[in-house]
Amino acid sequence: MNKIFSIFLKNSLIVFLLVFTISFSFFGFKTKSFQYLNISNNDTTDIYANDNYLRYDDYTYNKNIKTVLLYNLRDELSYPTLPLNSSEKLKLSFDDFNTSLKTYYYTFIHCNVNWTPSDLSPNQYLDNYTEDDIKEYKYSFNTDKAFIHYNLTFPNENISIKLSGNYIIKVYDSDYPDEAVITKRFLVYENHADVNITIKPSVNPNERFTRQEIDFEVNHNNYEINNPYQNITVILMQNYRWDNAISGLKPKFINGSLLDYNYEAVNVFDGNNEFRNFDIKSMNFNSQNVYRVQYDNAEKMMNIILYEDLPRAFRKHYAQPDLNGNFLVKRDDSNDSETDAEYVNVTFNLKRDTLRYGGNIYLFGKFTDWKFKEEFKMAYDTINKQYQQTVLLKQGYYNYMYCFVKDGSKNVGDISYIEGTYYETENDYTVLVYYRNPMENFDQLIGMKTRNTNK
């Protein structure tokens, strides 16, 4: 009897699996070439080694692609933001070490406030075409490392943007349209909401000298908002960093069209420290923070050795101008830094008498995409008692910091461990205001404002 029951159970299972498989195919369930994974932008999970996964984030998928920049044309150091229906344009640029000319295409993906793809079709948020080729390119000139430099400005006559919100620009090779080469985030905003920002030291006595509190008010004036407590989302950013952005804040008070976000605990950031910097715009002399410039005949490249850095935690804060983590590509003795600036090996040195167990120290800044990448992880030299790393960078002026990341923590770092944190530090703070109209199926960016701590 048991044998008969076992045969019946086995046959039933086979029939069930067969019916499930047929139903799955019949109803059209298919796997997609690209999948969104809800992982923080600093996550280095190995699943992303598979090129079939698209990140809705700033990411470079091809190792031959270097120095990817996206900014508003009004200023090379500006954030990638664009007023809707304005004459302003964004510029995307990058270098390709593969000197066989390629036809790169680009398209745009509209995203929700949390950087998942929205339900809009491209025709709903784009005018004219939904994809186009990058037409402008030029070859490097008289550089040790040959490359092709590509430029794109948008909106343009072929593609324009109709709706506000979060966007990804995706660049891909025309021969491999399903494989992204570059993805970069940018914002398109409207001016329906005014934002008033107040920056001050944290009111918490224990954080008074280390953290900065950002209070703000949002006034949507005569722009009709249904249930602002539920349908308004704000994001608070420091130096346009997504890795430590604060979200989920709800208005503390609502008075007509005025939304008040005057909190005391959830709207605070570490002040951190002023960024370190180095200047390699010229190779003719040792400029700011450069200890030695030497040519490597074997690699046929220039090597830059920076002065040894010291930890700054628990030291007195020292005010100095910086770019809030940004960098500028520039060669002094050139009329076109895009093609004439050299790629050089830059060696960073951080003095520390002992190895720090339980984690790793990373270089950190805009030039790392504000991520903890393997190529920017420092290695400890027990003989010289210092952390060291050599990175390939294009000539220019750079800001950087050192950040400690605990083992097992792939997306959270502690800048204060090496750099210290001070309420006096100069920072930019940006408030983004999104509205999801119940009658629409996307998040509008109805207002944004950036304020500096010193202004």
Side-chain angles (χ1 to χ4, degrees):
M1 187 71 179
N2 289 338
K3 184 177 182 181
I4 295 174
F5 179 77
S6 298
I7 294 172
F8 171 76
L9 183 62
K10 181 178 181 180
N11 290 339
S12 298
L13 180 59
I14 293 173
V15 171
F16 172 78
L17 292 174
L18 181 62
V19 171
F20 178 80
T21 303
I22 294 172
S23 301
F24 193 87
S25 301
F26 179 79
F27 286 105
F29 296 105
K30 299 179 180 178
T31 58
K32 296 182 178 180
S33 298
F34 293 98
Q35 300 179 32
Y36 175 78
L37 302 181
N38 190 18
I39 297 178
S40 174
N41 67 344
N42 261 329
D43 201 300
T44 55
T45 306
D46 289 340
I47 195 169
Y48 283 119
N50 185 339
D51 287 339
N52 286 335
Y53 287 92
L54 179 71
R55 291 193 180 203
Y56 295 88
D57 190 12
D58 296 334
Y59 196 73
T60 303
Y61 303 78
N62 187 319
K63 292 182 179 180
N64 283 323
I65 303 299
K66 299 293 181 182
T67 317
V68 182
L69 299 173
L70 181 61
Y71 54 86
N72 192 299
L73 269 179
R74 69 175 183 271
D75 184 356
E76 288 184 65
L77 297 174
S78 63
Y79 301 136
T81 63
L82 188 70
L84 184 65
N85 298 325
S86 72
S87 60
E88 295 186 23
K89 296 182 183 296
L90 299 185
K91 180 176 179 178
L92 173 75
S93 66
F94 59 93
D95 296 330
D96 190 350
F97 284 168
N98 187 331
T99 54
S100 297
L101 185 63
K102 289 182 172 59
T103 301
Y104 285 114
Y105 271 73
Y106 67 96
T107 189
F108 300 107
I109 303 171
H110 190 278
C111 293
N112 297 314
V113 66
N114 62 350
W115 292 103
T116 57
S118 70
D119 293 330
L120 300 175
S121 66
N123 289 327
Q124 290 179 280
Y125 57 83
L126 297 178
D127 254 340
N128 301 326
Y129 300 103
T130 58
E131 60 181 7
D132 193 22
D133 62 313
I134 298 177
K135 299 176 175 60
E136 183 182 343
Y137 64 89
K138 44 190 176 180
Y139 291 89
S140 59
F141 179 73
N142 201 29
T143 56
D144 294 327
K145 184 78 172 177
F147 58 87
I148 302 178
H149 181 83
Y150 294 84
N151 282 327
L152 167 71
T153 58
F154 64 91
N156 51 52
E157 64 273 12
N158 293 327
I159 302 182
S160 58
I161 296 172
K162 296 192 289 187
L163 300 177
S164 66
N166 293 352
Y167 280 88
I168 291 288
I169 180 170
K170 183 180 81 170
V171 177
Y172 56 94
D173 189 330
S174 62
D175 292 334
Y176 304 96
D178 290 334
E179 297 182 11
V181 174
I182 297 166
T183 49
K184 291 289 284 185
R185 292 178 173 181
F186 68 95
L187 304 176
V188 178
Y189 64 94
E190 303 173 71
N191 290 307
H192 296 307
D194 296 325
V195 183
N196 183 40
I197 302 174
T198 301
I199 305 171
K200 60 186 180 183
S202 173
V203 298
N204 184 333
N206 297 324
E207 301 175 344
R208 170 69 177 77
F209 298 103
T210 60
R211 310 196 80 192
Q212 296 172 340
E213 179 180 320
I214 294 79
D215 298 324
F216 58 97
E217 295 177 337
V218 175
N219 191 339
H220 57 88
N221 301 313
N222 296 321
Y223 190 73
E224 184 176 354
I225 300 288
N226 293 316
N227 192 356
Y229 193 85
Q230 178 177 336
N231 297 323
I232 289 287
T233 301
V234 297
I235 291 180
L236 184 56
M237 305 175 72
Q238 181 189 59
N239 298 327
Y240 206 77
R241 288 172 52 188
W242 290 101
D243 64 293
N244 67 340
I246 295 174
S247 61
L249 298 178
K250 296 296 182 181
K252 193 172 183 180
F253 303 107
I254 298 178
N255 183 11
S257 63
L258 189 66
L259 314 179
D260 185 89
Y261 294 83
N262 187 357
Y263 286 92
E264 295 181 354
V266 293
N267 54 339
V268 294
F269 290 84
D270 282 355
N272 296 318
N273 209 334
E274 313 299 346
F275 282 84
R276 303 174 191 259
N277 56 72
F278 62 93
D279 185 345
I280 53 172
K281 297 193 299 292
S282 175
M283 303 294 181
N284 298 324
F285 54 89
N286 294 358
S287 52
Q288 188 173 357
N289 204 30
V290 174
Y291 173 68
R292 185 166 67 243
V293 178
Q294 61 185 27
Y295 189 77
D296 188 323
N297 288 309
E299 292 191 9
K300 300 202 179 302
M301 288 189 66
M302 196 71 76
N303 287 340
I304 305 294
I305 313 297
L306 301 183
Y307 275 103
E308 185 178 68
D309 287 319
L310 299 176
R312 297 187 291 177
F314 308 112
R315 294 189 174 204
K316 184 178 180 180
H317 176 263
Y318 175 69
Q320 62 180 14
D322 65 9
L323 303 179
N324 286 332
N326 211 333
F327 68 96
L328 177 70
V329 172
K330 184 79 169 68
R331 176 171 175 168
D332 279 344
D333 56 346
S334 168
N335 293 322
D336 189 353
S337 295
E338 292 182 337
T339 58
D340 300 351
E342 293 275 9
Y343 275 89
V344 298
N345 287 319
V346 180
T347 299
F348 297 80
N349 303 284
L350 173 65
K351 182 66 175 178
R352 183 176 167 85
D353 290 337
T354 58
L355 172 68
R356 174 61 162 94
Y357 291 97
N360 292 287
I361 294 175
Y362 289 79
L363 293 166
F364 195 59
K366 175 71 178 298
F367 73 108
T368 74
D369 282 333
W370 301 112
K371 295 179 177 63
F372 310 123
K373 299 179 180 179
E374 190 69 20
E375 63 190 288
F376 300 109
K377 184 167 71 174
M378 310 287 288
Y380 189 69
D381 182 343
T382 55
I383 296 176
N384 294 311
K385 296 185 181 301
Q386 63 181 9
Y387 280 88
Q388 188 176 88
Q389 180 59 290
T390 299
V391 180
L392 183 67
L393 296 173
K394 199 172 184 178
Q395 272 187 274
Y397 183 86
Y398 287 78
N399 275 190
Y400 68 100
M401 280 189 179
Y402 297 101
C403 188
F404 176 72
V405 181
K406 291 182 179 179
D407 290 340
S409 177
K410 294 182 177 180
N411 60 354
V412 178
D414 183 5
I415 292 176
S416 66
Y417 178 75
I418 298 293
E419 306 292 1
T421 178
Y422 309 92
Y423 79 94
E424 304 102 322
T425 303
E426 177 265 325
N427 289 300
D428 281 340
Y429 287 101
T430 301
V431 175
L432 308 176
V433 184
Y434 297 85
Y435 173 53
R436 194 172 187 93
N437 190 323
M439 304 300 293
E440 303 285 352
N441 60 341
F442 74 99
D443 295 309
Q444 297 173 249
L445 181 51
I446 62 170
M448 68 174 293
K449 180 71 174 290
T450 298
R451 184 177 175 186
N452 186 273
T453 52
N454 293 342
K455 298 178 181 178

